[in-house]
Amino acid sequence: MTEPVPIAVPRKGRPLEAVLERVATIADEPDAESLVDNVTSVLRYEKAITKGEQRTEADSYERLAEYSELSSGPEYTLLRDDRPGKPRRIVFDSLQLRLDGKPVHLVGREEPFRALRTHEFALGFDAADLVLEEVVALAPEGVADLDAVNERIDPMESDVRVVTGLGDTVYHTLLGAPETVPAGTELDREFLREYVGALCISPRYERLVEAVLGTEAIDGLEFAYPDEEEEEEAAIAEAGLGIYLTVTGTTAREHGLILGEQLFPSETVLLENSAEVDEEIERIRATISGDDLREQTELWAE
């Protein structure tokens, strides 16, 4: 029997859902979509329990046993959540399917990108943001697309490269208060080059912002951060200028903010470790990154 090709995937959240949705559309199994829908429903339910939005009499071990009753199908596991009290949370563990006649094994990892960096996997999925935060070298000019991301990865630093995105795009967007952005002024990278003052960002995005904007643009900027319980958009309105993830921009507008340039797409991406790629991996990679993704993703290397 042919050994399945292991592929590292996130254990929960939007990135995992994007992966499962993509795999369901190209899997050989006729029931792949309903199988994936069930996984998504289970994980959303478990997230709601962890957040206190749902209640159940069954404890986490009983629910895990119930989900694992089937001899085949998705498997789950328990992890400690980051929320106060470190509650146990049921997350994705593994699933086997066939792609283009080849068995693949989706394997849940807390940090798929790092699993590829350490050569545990040849293929995997993770957030493009993590690539920017960990291996993209800083330069005077910022990063705005996939080609720039891969070009900035030092081959001595990592063998991992971005193949394509999955189209689940939200944007790191430049936001400004009317008092900071004069009427008729374009709120974009050029504006930032001339701006001197506070730029409000989430602390976890500091390295990403430096990579996206470039070292020239951040000269003269002073990073400011929201208070622990403060909404990011409210903090940006107070600071006058900031960067945050937006989908429709509704919340930003509610705080009176002007939506500026969409600086970089935050998207789940297919990754490969080039040192581990062989003909079999190339075949699976080609199946996953089919031409139909071109119209869905902001990240595509020509």
Side-chain angles (χ1 to χ4, degrees):
M1 181 178 178
T2 305
E3 286 293 317
V5 174
I7 302 176
V9 303
R11 288 196 181 276
K12 59 185 185 295
R14 178 175 63 88
L16 174 61
E17 290 189 16
V19 173
L20 294 176
E21 182 178 339
R22 175 57 183 167
V23 169
T25 63
I26 58 176
D28 296 346
E29 288 82 357
D31 63 341
E33 290 193 15
S34 62
L35 186 65
V36 162
D37 287 344
N38 183 61
V39 174
T40 300
S41 296
V42 166
L43 296 178
R44 287 181 178 178
Y45 175 66
E46 289 299 325
K47 178 182 179 181
I49 291 174
T50 305
K51 294 175 67 177
E53 297 172 353
Q54 289 274 6
R55 294 188 178 278
T56 177
E57 295 298 322
D59 65 25
S60 55
Y61 292 102
E62 292 171 331
R63 298 196 308 277
L64 182 61
E66 180 184 347
Y67 299 147
S68 305
E69 282 181 355
L70 297 177
S71 58
S72 62
E75 296 181 3
Y76 303 89
T77 191
L78 280 169
L79 290 179
R80 290 288 187 181
D81 197 75
D82 293 333
R83 290 178 174 80
K86 299 291 183 180
R88 290 184 178 89
R89 178 172 175 178
I90 293 176
V91 295
F92 177 81
D93 193 52
S94 71
L95 175 65
Q96 292 197 33
L97 293 166
R98 299 184 72 86
L99 303 181
D100 193 23
K102 179 68 182 175
V104 298
H105 187 193
L106 304 182
V107 183
R109 284 289 184 268
E110 280 297 282
E111 298 174 326
F113 173 59
R114 291 181 180 175
L116 265 75
R117 290 192 70 188
T118 56
H119 298 262
E120 293 180 56
F121 297 83
L123 292 174
F125 296 88
D126 214 331
D129 292 0
L130 293 177
V131 183
L132 286 173
E133 291 166 6
E134 296 206 8
V135 295
V136 168
L138 298 181
E141 293 296 321
V143 174
D145 56 35
L146 175 61
D147 289 332
V149 169
N150 282 337
E151 288 169 4
R152 294 278 184 87
I153 299 176
D154 184 347
M156 299 298 290
E157 171 70 18
S158 176
D159 292 314
V160 179
R161 297 294 182 272
V162 178
V163 179
T164 187
L166 296 187
D168 59 324
T169 311
V170 295
Y171 291 91
H172 293 281
T173 304
L174 188 57
L175 305 170
E179 299 80 12
T180 305
V181 185
T185 302
E186 290 290 330
L187 184 54
D188 54 16
R189 291 174 187 263
E190 290 303 314
F191 178 88
L192 276 177
R193 288 180 181 276
E194 304 299 325
Y195 176 79
V196 176
L199 181 71
C200 186
I201 61 173
S202 173
R204 69 181 185 275
Y205 289 138
E206 185 169 324
R207 179 63 172 71
L208 179 147
V209 168
E210 291 173 342
V212 168
L213 296 181
T215 54
E216 285 186 358
I218 64 174
D219 185 32
L221 297 179
E222 180 182 350
F223 289 143
Y225 311 102
D227 293 334
E228 189 171 339
E229 300 298 327
E230 188 177 20
E231 275 192 334
E232 278 81 358
E233 290 88 350
I236 291 171
E238 184 177 345
L241 198 68
I243 296 172
Y244 192 55
L245 291 169
T246 63
V247 181
T248 63
T250 300
T251 307
R253 293 187 185 93
E254 289 174 354
H255 286 86
L257 294 170
I258 298 167
L259 272 67
E261 182 178 344
Q262 294 176 330
L263 299 170
F264 191 82
S266 176
E267 190 169 343
T268 306
V269 292
L270 172 63
L271 303 163
E272 69 174 14
N273 186 311
S274 56
E276 304 295 332
V277 173
D278 55 23
E279 289 186 8
E280 185 177 59
I281 297 300
E282 287 180 350
R283 176 178 166 184
I284 297 299
R285 179 188 64 195
T287 301
I288 296 172
S289 60
D291 290 347
D292 58 310
L293 277 182
R294 287 177 181 267
E295 296 180 359
Q296 300 177 36
T297 177
E298 292 291 332
L299 302 178
W300 185 272
E302 296 291 349

